[in-house]
Amino acid sequence: MALVEVKDLKIFFPIKSGFFSRWRKEQKYIHAVNGVSFKINKGETLGLVGESGCGKSTTGRTILGLYEPTSGDILFEGQSIVNLLPKERFPYRRKMQMIFQDPYSSLNPRMKVKEIIAEPIITHKLVPEEELEDFIFQLMEKVGIDPDYANRYPHQFSGGQRQRIGIARALAMQPDFIVADEPISALDVSIQAQILNLLMDLQEEFGLTYLFIAHDLSVVKHISDRVAIMYLGKICEIGKTEEIFSNPLHPYTRALFDSIPRLTTTSKSYHDVLEGDVPNPIDLPNGCYFHPRCRYAMEVCRQKSPEMKSIENRQVACHLIK
Ligand code: SF4
Ligand code: MG
């Protein structure tokens, strides 16, 4: 059974309207997520990739209960977790954790590291008080921070160390599922691989399941079992990582590959360079959302939204796929 399942998720945010729209009784929306479905199996990592503003963070945050979906369903261990009362939501707040892009802004600058890690443990009464300190020291060791630094404040650590502290805090809850929202994109390139390796080690040790969000395909290559490519709040292609990397099928996926700087001459190029801007999520285009930027766009693409089609292990939403 899937640990997490998202079914036809839609998330629209109402926007404040000016005088004329109010007068005409028009309410406009930002269509952040427009019908997304996927499953994540226990112990697996799904990479969720797309340009900024495509709805990937909104999807991750909605799974964690930070936003209410406009429609659709989210299942955790087969149970629907949308529209829960706060009391019913409480156990999921422990089981499902988040690692943020910017560890600095997510750590309280006035709290010592040991207090930052202890806070959720105390809220959820996870460890008896007399064992708390040992538990925190063990966690710090697990994420590669010397427990001697437990009384230091966030500003006394480097960016990579702060991300390790953010990871320790998420891990303190003994979660099953972690949404990692661009956890390495704010870090030095030299540190990025260390954090990725740490996340992979912790996954193995604790049987964690990840939704790993990134705007860059190359970042998810080593950590993800499967990858989903998102564009304007829809998934255009989803499949096994090695299959997507060896043979991307959707024109947008190919364009994302072409936007990766090529360091070696053996890297593929599909000549599907991305041109133009992402359309406005308030007034979405008709048909395939990618048609204004797609060099293969046909008449049908301007009129009809392509359905998800399964080919072998892959799912692709494009009229080119028969
Ligand atoms: Fe391009 Fe048409 Fe496929 Fe959309 S459906 S990606 S516009 S070919
Ligand atoms: Mg984001």
Side-chain angles (χ1 to χ4, degrees), residues 6-155:
V6 171
K7 287 181 172 174
D8 199 20
L9 188 68
K10 292 185 182 161
I11 309 158
F12 305 157
F13 298 110
I15 46 175
K16 278 203 169 37
S17 44
F19 171 76
F20 278 105
S21 353
R22 280 203 302 277
W23 186 47
R24 291 194 202 125
K25 296 200 163 43
E26 273 176 0
Q27 174 64 60
K28 293 209 166 198
Y29 293 90
I30 295 174
H31 301 90
V33 177
N34 297 302
V36 159
S37 301
F38 56 77
K39 289 180 183 177
I40 314 178
N41 294 318
K42 197 162 171 31
E44 184 187 42
T45 298
L46 177 70
L48 187 59
V49 178
E51 289 165 285
S52 70
C54 72
K56 46 194 200 306
S57 297
T58 307
T59 302
R61 283 161 188 259
T62 306
I63 296 173
L64 298 191
L66 301 175
Y67 303 130
E68 277 302 325
T70 307
S71 66
D73 206 355
I74 300 164
L75 310 182
F76 188 84
E77 294 173 323
Q79 295 287 318
S80 174
I81 54 164
V82 300
N83 304 317
L84 294 181
L85 300 169
K87 199 178 81 192
E88 299 166 323
R89 166 66 64 182
F90 190 73
Y92 297 104
R93 281 179 41 207
R94 180 190 71 73
K95 291 180 185 185
M96 306 164 86
Q97 291 297 306
M98 182 138 183
I99 300 171
F100 297 89
Q101 173 175 2
D102 177 1
Y104 200 48
S105 65
S106 66
L107 303 177
N108 186 336
R110 281 177 294 276
M111 280 165 80
K112 293 175 178 171
V113 167
K114 68 175 185 191
E115 295 164 346
I116 289 173
I117 301 174
E119 194 182 36
I121 307 174
I122 296 167
T123 309
H124 285 257
K125 301 188 182 74
L126 292 175
V127 175
E129 216 182 301
E130 62 277 12
E131 292 168 27
L132 184 62
E133 197 161 66
D134 270 349
F135 184 74
I136 290 167
F137 291 168
Q138 279 173 24
L139 275 169
M140 290 181 72
E141 261 168 17
K142 281 256 177 287
V143 300
I145 302 271
D146 189 338
D148 286 349
Y149 297 166
N151 288 314
R152 295 196 181 181
Y153 292 89
H155 75 266

Side-chain angles (χ1 to χ4, degrees), residues 1 15 70 75 89 94 100 124 127 158 162 190 196 219-220 229-230 236 289:
M1 187 183 34
I15 46 175
T70 307
L75 310 182
R89 166 66 64 182
R94 180 190 71 73
F100 297 89
H124 285 257
V127 175
S158 68
R162 286 198 288 257
S190 59
L196 280 182
V219 167
V220 300
I229 316 293
M230 225 172 145
C236 35
Y289 293 166

Side-chain angles (χ1 to χ4, degrees), residues 8-12 30-36 51 53-55 230-236 250-252 274-294 297 300-307 317-319:
D8 199 20
L9 188 68
K10 292 185 182 161
I11 309 158
F12 305 157
I30 295 174
H31 301 90
V33 177
N34 297 302
V36 159
E51 289 165 285
C54 72
M230 225 172 145
Y231 187 78
L232 264 182
K234 272 183 189 279
I235 289 180
C236 35
H250 195 283
Y252 180 62
L274 270 179
E275 279 167 12
D277 296 325
V278 181
N280 185 341
I282 299 169
D283 295 306
L284 290 167
N286 287 331
C288 172
Y289 293 166
F290 190 53
H291 87 252
R293 299 170 85 190
C294 179
V300 61
C301 305
R302 288 179 254 281
Q303 283 154 18
K304 205 168 154 259
S305 175
E307 284 177 15
C318 173
H319 289 304

